Amino acid sequence: MSELKKRSSCPVSSSLDIWGDKWSLLIVRDLMFAKQCTYGDFLKSAEKIATNILASRLQMLEENGIITKLEHPDSKAKVLYKLTQKGIDLLPLMVEINLWAEKYFSLPKDRLAIITEVKKDKEGFLKATTKELQRNSNLT
Amino acid sequence: MSELKKRSSCPVSSSLDIWGDKWSLLIVRDLMFAKQCTYGDFLKSAEKIATNILASRLQMLEENGIITKLEHPDSKAKVLYKLTQKGIDLLPLMVEINLWAEKYFSLPKDRLAIITEVKKDKEGFLKATTKELQRNSNLT
DNA sequence: ATAATAAACTTGCAAAATGCAAGTGAATAA
DNA sequence: TTATTCACTTGCATTTTGCAAGTTTATTAT
């Protein structure tokens, strides 16, 4: 399917060429929350992504090194997806999205709770969460 | 045209509902660089946005309070667009996109120069740039 | 004053991406 | 061995994008 064509050499444009659509960052979000997800897990998310779109986004994100597949320990029928380092490095961006949203939307309180945590010590949160995601990354 | 329908109450999802497409953040980028742009200025950007898409994005961004129109001092035929505070608040997000991109793409050196600046003192850069954009905001 | 140019869009249509519903095929569970 | 689960695929309608050619109002040149 997807051949990545760069519109320009601008960092913002190049980034959007990869994950600049309505769905990709939601997949990344799910992986940041859950560390690893199956195909079915993504389908269960609140936004109700269509299965064909999910498949094409997962492929795109994998081709661009944001996520990887791995075997599910329990079953060959299942596939686990997780973030690569390149994907984990989207965490600061994800945090800023949340901080911006908190200023301009009214959010459910479980989400607000996390954002409040982040605001208390952004650097600390980033370090800790990055580490957690990386740890998960290493136990194959 | 655009009636904003939220897919969920998630901050990431709500944010993407507004600017989660291939073009909106490029418009914001242009405004962060140039402080204010005419319709024609946007068309001149490297990525070559189609004029109808530009019109619909500008409308969307205006409806959602990210940008505003103002009269051009030189001519009634021209229109100036600038960021609102809500738009200016996307700066930290924009900065993180640049930092991520710098890690994973090879960028033109003028862009690298700015990113290097940012890395030296992120907080300082954010404060200074926000102030500049706000200053511009206030002289109607 | 009149005609030509420019600036900000609009319109029409083809092509691509999205969304929905119903498959398919391999693997596990009953 | 049959049924169910899981990860996708496929087909088709709808929506969005992209391209090219207008249209309209405002300025500039004659």
Side-chain angles (χ1 to χ4, degrees), chain B residues 102 107-120:
Chain B
E102 189 250 354
L107 301 176
K109 60 170 174 299
D110 57 319
R111 289 317 205 73
L112 271 177
I114 301 172
I115 294 171
T116 303
E117 277 301 299
V118 171
K119 288 206 286 187
K120 259 182 244 168

Side-chain angles (χ1 to χ4, degrees), chain A residues 6-23 25-26 29 46-47 66 85-86 89-90 92-94 96-98 100-101 103-105 107-108 111 115, chain B residues 6-23 25-26 29 46-47 66 85-86 89-90 92-94 96-98 100-101 103-105 107-108 111 115:
Chain A
K6 278 194 161 195
R7 290 172 294 174
S8 80
S9 61
C10 165
V12 182
S13 164
S14 303
S15 299
L16 293 174
D17 286 338
I18 297 182
W19 47 256
D21 68 273
K22 293 233 175 297
W23 296 107
L25 287 182
L26 296 182
R29 170 206 63 184
E47 295 83 10
I66 311 281
Q85 185 59 46
K86 189 173 177 182
D89 284 331
L90 288 169
L93 172 52
M94 194 63 68
E96 294 304 332
I97 294 176
N98 276 273
W100 183 80
K103 195 162 176 185
Y104 294 104
F105 298 113
L107 301 176
R111 290 317 204 75
I115 295 172
Chain B
K6 277 193 163 195
R7 288 171 295 173
S8 80
S9 60
C10 164
V12 182
S13 165
S14 302
S15 299
L16 293 175
D17 286 339
I18 297 182
W19 47 256
D21 67 272
K22 293 231 175 298
W23 294 108
L25 287 182
L26 296 183
R29 171 205 63 185
E47 295 83 10
I66 311 280
Q85 184 60 47
K86 190 174 177 181
D89 284 332
L90 289 169
L93 172 53
M94 193 64 69
E96 294 303 333
I97 294 175
N98 276 273
W100 184 79
K103 195 163 175 184
Y104 294 104
F105 298 114
L107 301 176
R111 289 317 205 73
I115 294 171

Side-chain angles (χ1 to χ4, degrees), chain A residues 40-54:
Chain A
D41 290 337
F42 292 120
L43 288 177
K44 275 174 225 143
S45 291
E47 295 83 10
K48 299 283 150 232
I49 189 171
T51 173
N52 56 338
I53 308 295
L54 176 58

Side-chain angles (χ1 to χ4, degrees), chain A residues 53-120:
Chain A
I53 308 295
L54 176 58
S56 84
R57 290 294 153 239
L58 287 172
Q59 191 191 329
M60 174 68 132
L61 289 171
E62 201 192 357
E63 283 173 3
N64 286 283
I66 311 281
I67 65 176
T68 25
K69 290 180 178 198
L70 52 137
E71 290 180 2
H72 193 107
D74 299 359
S75 155
K76 274 199 231 171
K78 295 185 186 178
V79 179
L80 278 176
Y81 292 89
K82 67 176 176 66
L83 294 169
T84 60
Q85 185 59 46
K86 189 173 177 182
I88 295 170
D89 284 331
L90 288 169
L91 183 64
L93 172 52
M94 194 63 68
V95 162
E96 294 304 332
I97 294 176
N98 276 273
L99 292 172
W100 183 80
E102 189 249 354
K103 195 162 176 185
Y104 294 104
F105 298 113
S106 57
L107 301 176
K109 60 172 174 302
D110 57 318
R111 290 317 204 75
L112 271 177
I114 302 171
I115 295 172
T116 304
E117 277 301 299
V118 171
K119 288 206 286 189
K120 258 181 244 168

Side-chain angles (χ1 to χ4, degrees), chain A residues 110-140:
Chain A
D110 57 318
R111 290 317 204 75
L112 271 177
I114 302 171
I115 295 172
T116 304
E117 277 301 299
V118 171
K119 288 206 286 189
K120 258 181 244 168
D121 177 17
K122 197 196 283 187
E123 277 314 304
F125 177 88
L126 286 172
K127 275 207 168 164
T129 308
T130 299
K131 210 164 188 177
E132 258 184 74
L133 290 167
Q134 284 170 340
R135 208 180 76 80
N136 178 259
S137 217
N138 294 335
L139 36 95
T140 322

Side-chain angles (χ1 to χ4, degrees), chain B residues 3-122:
Chain B
E3 222 359 73
L4 185 64
K5 41 193 165 208
K6 277 193 163 195
R7 288 171 295 173
S8 80
S9 60
C10 164
V12 182
S13 165
S14 302
S15 299
L16 293 175
D17 286 339
I18 297 182
W19 47 256
D21 67 272
K22 293 231 175 298
W23 294 108
S24 296
L25 287 182
L26 296 183
I27 292 173
V28 172
R29 171 205 63 185
D30 285 351
L31 288 170
M32 284 176 173
F33 266 107
K35 272 100 187 168
Q36 35 193 43
C37 297
T38 63
Y39 193 90
D41 290 337
F42 292 120
L43 287 178
K44 274 174 225 142
S45 291
E47 295 83 10
K48 298 283 149 235
I49 189 171
T51 172
N52 55 338
I53 307 295
L54 176 58
S56 84
R57 292 293 154 237
L58 288 172
Q59 190 191 330
M60 175 66 134
L61 290 172
E62 200 192 358
E63 282 172 5
N64 286 285
I66 311 280
I67 64 175
T68 27
K69 289 179 180 202
L70 52 136
E71 290 179 2
H72 193 108
D74 300 359
S75 154
K76 274 199 236 174
K78 295 183 184 177
V79 179
L80 277 176
Y81 292 90
K82 67 176 176 64
L83 295 168
T84 60
Q85 184 60 47
K86 190 174 177 181
I88 295 170
D89 284 332
L90 289 169
L91 183 64
L93 172 53
M94 193 64 69
V95 162
E96 294 303 333
I97 294 175
N98 276 273
L99 292 172
W100 184 79
E102 189 250 354
K103 195 163 175 184
Y104 294 104
F105 298 114
S106 56
L107 301 176
K109 60 170 174 299
D110 57 319
R111 289 317 205 73
L112 271 177
I114 301 172
I115 294 171
T116 303
E117 277 301 299
V118 171
K119 288 206 286 187
K120 259 182 244 168
D121 177 17
K122 197 198 280 186

